[in-house]
Amino acid sequence: MAEFLSRAEEYVDMAEVSTENWNYCMPSTYIPWASNREFVREIKQSGKVKFPLYLVGSIVSPEMAEEIIASGDADGISFSRALIADPAMPNKAKAGRIDEITPCLRCMRCTDGDNKTRFFRCSVNPTTGHETRVGFMEDIPEAKIKKNVLVIGGGPGGVEAAVTAARRGHTVTLLEKNEELGGTIRYAKNDALKPDLKRYLQYIQKLPSLYPNITVKLGTEATPELVGSYKADHIIVATGGEPIPPTFLEGWEKAKDILDAYFHADSVGEEVVIIGGGLSGVEAAAHLGALGKKVTVLEKYTCLADVGTSYGWGVKLAVKQYGVKLVEQADVLEITDEGVRYAMGGKEILKKADSVFYAIGMKSNNQLFYEVADKAPYVDIIGDAAQTARIGEAVVSGFYAAMDIGTF
Ligand SMILES: Cc1cc2nc3c(=O)[nH]c(=O)nc-3n(C[C@H](O)[C@H](O)[C@H](O)COP(=O)(O)O)c2cc1C
Ligand code: SF4
């Protein structure tokens, strides 16, 4: 080792400190921020390494980087995903435009996509992988013709559409029926385990206020009459989606939708059953597990079948850590006052529960789109309202819908 280090000093200008363990070399949102910090600190404190040591892995903001360097734990910081999420981050930090820095979700869409399909993409940066066509976010061109744009719905897709249209010089009104922006991801403010989504929620809640040509109207339900009164040149409908209730099950009305698990966790009791073992069901189970609940997930087929490999590893770690029980090949028959009755391996089982939630998929809220189709020359539908999916799809569809406004 001593020989290796002395020879390395001849050739090495700096080294990055990371780990071999996948969960820590590219940590998902289930791993603490700056998760390799103690390793770099120990190596530096050993005094055996003379060249500068940089820390890499989940350094999520310039403030965090500055604090680590100031503490003496590392000589420098390397960013990877923070710069995929926002390549302009260093320039924005230098200019003091901190609220404009798009935070990385540590959702692994970039790596899961890169490894599986060789198509590089990012959930929060719609220009990633499309730079040759649209340039970087900072380069998007002003619109040829400035329009009066109405965006209905302030979730990730609606905010992306509103902000992109505003960046291109349009005048934008953003209507949101709730008293705050965020749409479906408003649950993140109560999520016990996903600090990055919470940061992103705070970011999109503030972002429109930084643009003087966006007017945000909270607590405003869009009716066809109201929408018509804006006389918009272009309408973007981003009314999101909602959980599908399991109406095919006896007693389904005794269960609550999965988002309720985040908003009313205090009243769920001790024993919880979640019907549906896709990502949203299992992540909610881990969240409730972290709050001390005993959670069982009943899945008809295989749990987490809709999750990319590397993000899935992080979720499975949380499932293990918080004692969540995943039951696969469970055919749910009925929700009773006592719990959930299901069939498995030729037997019928009653799983007792204080609360039952369903997470069997989402459906689009698209009714308004048809009702306002004649209220402007151009009416688009984006995000979950068009097709339920993840944040990445909502952001991409919002961005490109806004990029098309004012080109003719
Ligand atoms: C899409 C993607 C591809 C990567 N490819 C490599 C690679 O080929 N070799 C490597 O050593 N690290 C690779 N990494 C890991 C990063 O260099 C970095 O160590 C890791 O993402 C943790 O840093 P971060 O939290 O700042 O993203 C990749 C990361 C991403 C997001
Ligand atoms: S895809 Fe997800 S993890 Fe990758 S850079 Fe974008 S936000 Fe971060």
Side-chain angles (χ1 to χ4, degrees), residues 81 84-85 103-110 121-124:
R81 289 168 297 173
I84 298 171
C104 165
L105 296 176
R106 296 197 295 156
C107 66
M108 319 303 268
R109 189 180 182 86
C110 47
R121 60 202 177 148
C122 170
S123 292
V124 297

Side-chain angles (χ1 to χ4, degrees), residues 176-254:
E176 168 54 52
K177 72 172 177 191
N178 292 303
E179 292 299 336
E180 59 179 350
L181 296 174
T184 306
I185 68 160
R186 283 176 302 129
Y187 81 84
K189 65 186 172 186
N190 300 326
D191 192 318
L193 296 174
K194 292 202 284 189
D196 303 280
L197 190 60
K198 194 178 290 184
R199 283 186 78 220
Y200 183 70
L201 172 65
Q202 289 162 354
Y203 160 77
I204 66 165
Q205 287 186 329
K206 188 150 195 196
L207 196 60
S209 69
L210 305 178
Y211 291 84
N213 50 340
I214 302 182
T215 304
V216 179
K217 293 198 175 282
L218 298 174
T220 307
E221 181 96 44
T223 60
E225 295 70 36
L226 181 69
V227 170
S229 73
Y230 280 98
K231 303 202 180 320
D233 300 313
H234 203 120
I235 297 171
I236 295 179
V237 177
T239 39
E242 60 186 88
I244 299 170
T247 50
F248 50 88
L249 281 180
E250 193 72 29
W252 71 270
E253 59 296 322
K254 297 183 206 299

Side-chain angles (χ1 to χ4, degrees), residues 32-71:
W33 287 330
S35 48
N36 299 318
R37 185 173 183 168
E38 67 185 273
F39 303 127
V40 73
R41 182 194 302 133
E42 275 186 33
I43 298 170
K44 264 184 74 69
Q45 284 176 353
S46 75
K48 291 179 182 164
V49 177
K50 304 295 179 218
F51 42 81
L53 291 174
Y54 280 45
L55 173 60
V56 61
S58 293
I59 320 300
V60 299
S61 67
E63 300 94 311
M64 189 181 288
E66 282 187 344
E67 185 275 315
I68 292 167
I69 294 168
S71 75

Side-chain angles (χ1 to χ4, degrees), residues 25-27 56-59 78-82 84 110-111 114 120:
C25 91
M26 219 178 290
V56 61
S58 293
I59 320 300
S78 295
F79 295 100
S80 172
R81 289 168 297 173
I84 298 171
C110 47
T111 37
D114 194 29
F120 190 38

Side-chain angles (χ1 to χ4, degrees), residues 105 107 109 122-126 156 389-398:
L105 296 176
C107 66
R109 189 180 182 86
C122 170
S123 292
V124 297
N125 180 357
R390 305 248 164 92
I391 291 174
E393 282 82 2
V395 167
V396 162
S397 62

